[in-house]
């Protein structure tokens, strides 16, 4: 009986060890730099309260979670649109620390809490309640890293080349709110290769300035620019009406005569702003 019990314990231990190993392998293989994600904002329960009474103090506590795959810098959060005759809030703006993005060592992303102190003043005479609509604005700097394995075919007329084929590609995001959504490759005999990347804002807020960072083809530098940019063509401002632009990267010489695969990598730094409408309710 003791031998049988010991055998069961051994089997259970091996099973649990195997399960733990699989979970670790799954996490180590997970690509955080995919899809669409970024900073998310919420209020803690009862902060602010559902009902606020005249001449009382209250707190507004905001929880920030970076669900994107990239670090956030230069973060700032502001409260806008409150009428001071009803509510006083201090401070109206706060900066917050750098927040690391999701990764193997930090799969949940960084989390922070910001607290604002509030005071309710008074209602109009004979008024039973007052609803105050206001806005929370969050702004920060972050980035995305685009990378893929692509086909290069120096010989456009090599119809019977048994290697790879050039194709137009589409993507669902690289783990941020800004995303490369399309890639088109154009090869011209004697002129090298050109890549046209469609870069879009796919998040709930607005993109501000975008800056081209590292750009490489097979580990070698690429020349990239925004054709619609003014002045420095590695920088461009998104507008409220236009949250989609084209970036062009070129390499004037490509080696070889047959098709082959290699890596394309382009990084983008960008400003992001998110505005959410909230409400305070004061009752008598």
């Amino acid at each position: 009986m003791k031998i049988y019990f010991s055998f069961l314990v051994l089997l259970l231990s091996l099973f649990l060890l195997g399960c733990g190993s699989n979970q670790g392998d799954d996490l180590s293989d997970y690509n955080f730099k995919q899809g669409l994600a970024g900073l998310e904002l919420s209020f803690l329960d009862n902060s602010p309260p559902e009902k606020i009474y005249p001449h009382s103090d209250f707190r507004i506590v905001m929880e920030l979670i970076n669900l994107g795959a990239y670090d956030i810098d230069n973060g700032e959060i502001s409260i806008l649109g409150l009428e001071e005759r009803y509510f006083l809030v201090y401070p109206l703006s706060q900066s917050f620390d750098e927040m690391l993005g999701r990764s193997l060592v930090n799969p949940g992303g960084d989390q922070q809490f910001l607290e604002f102190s509030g005071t309710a003043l008074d209602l109009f005479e004979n008024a039973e309640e007052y609803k105050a609509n206001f806005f929370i604005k969050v702004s920060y700097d972050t980035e995305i890293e685009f990378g893929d394995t692509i086909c290069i075919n120096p010989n456009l007329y090599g119809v019977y080349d048994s290697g790879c084929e050039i194709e137009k590609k589409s993507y669902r995001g690289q783990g941020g709110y800004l995303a490369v959504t399309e890639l088109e490759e154009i090869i011209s005999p004697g002129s090298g290769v050109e890549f046209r990347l469609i870069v879009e804002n796919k998040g709930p807020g607005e993109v501000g300035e975008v800056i081209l960072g590292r750009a490489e083809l097979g580990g070698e530098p690429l020349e990239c620019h925004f054709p619609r940019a003014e002045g420095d063509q590695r920088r461009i401002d998104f507008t409220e009406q236009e949250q989609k632009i084209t970036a062009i990267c070129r390499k004037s010489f490509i080696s070889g005569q047959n098709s082959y695969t290699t890596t394309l990598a382009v990084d983008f730094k960008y400003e992001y702003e998110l505005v959410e409408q909230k409400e305070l309710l004061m009752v008598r």
Side-chain angles (χ1 to χ4, degrees), residues 132-282:
N133 292 314
F134 68 103
F135 299 93
I136 304 293
K137 183 178 79 170
V138 185
S139 59
Y140 56 90
D141 298 337
T142 187
E143 64 182 331
I144 59 166
E145 298 174 358
F146 170 79
D148 197 7
T149 300
I150 50 108
C151 176
I152 300 291
N153 187 354
N155 183 7
L156 287 178
Y157 308 106
V159 180
Y160 300 106
D161 186 341
S162 60
C164 60
E165 294 184 4
I166 295 175
E167 57 179 327
K168 187 174 182 178
K169 292 188 172 185
S170 60
Y171 306 90
R172 295 183 178 179
Q174 293 79 45
Y177 283 148
L178 188 70
V180 174
T181 56
E182 295 180 20
L183 171 65
E184 183 178 6
E185 179 183 344
I186 302 169
I187 291 186
S188 302
S191 300
V193 59
E194 175 180 294
F195 301 98
R196 302 180 69 89
L197 297 89
I198 304 299
V199 187
E200 295 186 61
N201 174 22
K202 306 295 286 185
E206 293 183 2
V207 172
E209 184 183 50
V210 180
I211 304 172
L212 276 161
R214 174 185 64 108
E216 295 177 344
L217 179 66
E220 297 182 355
L222 277 175
E223 292 294 329
C224 297
H225 70 284
F226 296 114
R228 297 184 60 180
E230 299 178 359
D232 185 352
Q233 291 205 309
R234 295 184 67 86
R235 297 171 176 260
I236 194 169
D237 289 320
F238 275 46
T239 65
E240 185 177 350
Q241 294 75 28
E242 186 177 25
Q243 294 279 293
K244 176 179 178 179
I245 50 94
T246 299
I248 294 179
C249 296
R250 293 193 178 101
K251 190 170 181 61
S252 57
F253 174 77
I254 50 177
S255 60
Q257 296 182 350
N258 297 319
S259 63
Y260 60 93
T261 58
T262 189
T263 55
L264 173 66
V266 186
D267 299 346
F268 299 87
K269 298 181 183 297
Y270 65 100
E271 300 170 338
Y272 205 76
E273 183 179 288
L274 177 64
V275 178
E276 293 188 6
Q277 182 173 330
K278 302 293 183 180
E279 180 184 279
L280 294 178
L281 173 62
M282 179 161 51

Side-chain angles (χ1 to χ4, degrees), residues 10-154:
L10 177 62
L11 282 180
L12 180 60
S13 300
L14 291 174
F15 175 75
L16 293 175
L17 181 62
C19 289
S21 176
N22 288 336
Q23 289 175 353
D25 291 343
D26 290 344
L27 185 60
S28 64
D29 292 338
Y30 185 77
N31 178 18
F32 290 93
K33 296 180 179 180
Q34 62 180 341
L36 304 170
L39 187 68
E40 292 198 357
L41 164 72
S42 62
F43 286 155
L44 288 193
D45 289 343
N46 206 42
S47 299
E50 292 185 8
K51 295 180 181 180
I52 301 171
Y53 298 96
H55 307 292
S56 66
D57 296 329
F58 60 93
R59 298 186 310 154
I60 298 176
V61 182
M62 302 179 194
E63 179 185 22
L64 304 176
I65 303 178
N66 184 6
L67 296 179
Y70 308 92
D71 299 348
I72 285 174
D73 295 311
N74 302 319
E76 185 176 38
I77 188 164
S78 302
I79 296 177
L80 308 172
L82 275 177
E83 288 197 37
E84 293 185 354
R85 65 180 302 169
Y86 296 105
F87 294 104
L88 297 177
V89 173
Y90 179 83
L92 288 175
S93 180
Q94 289 191 58
S95 59
F96 55 90
D97 297 333
E98 177 185 15
M99 298 182 69
L100 302 181
R102 298 176 66 210
S103 65
L104 179 62
V105 296
N106 187 28
D110 266 6
Q111 178 186 48
Q112 287 191 38
F113 296 92
L114 294 180
E115 181 174 332
F116 297 76
S117 299
T119 298
L121 300 182
D122 203 354
L123 292 165
F124 270 133
E125 186 177 357
N126 299 324
E128 293 300 320
E129 66 176 34
Y130 171 70
K131 291 182 180 179
N133 292 314
F134 68 103
F135 299 93
I136 304 293
K137 183 178 79 170
V138 185
S139 59
Y140 56 90
D141 298 337
T142 187
E143 64 182 331
I144 59 166
E145 298 174 358
F146 170 79
D148 197 7
T149 300
I150 50 108
C151 176
I152 300 291
N153 187 354

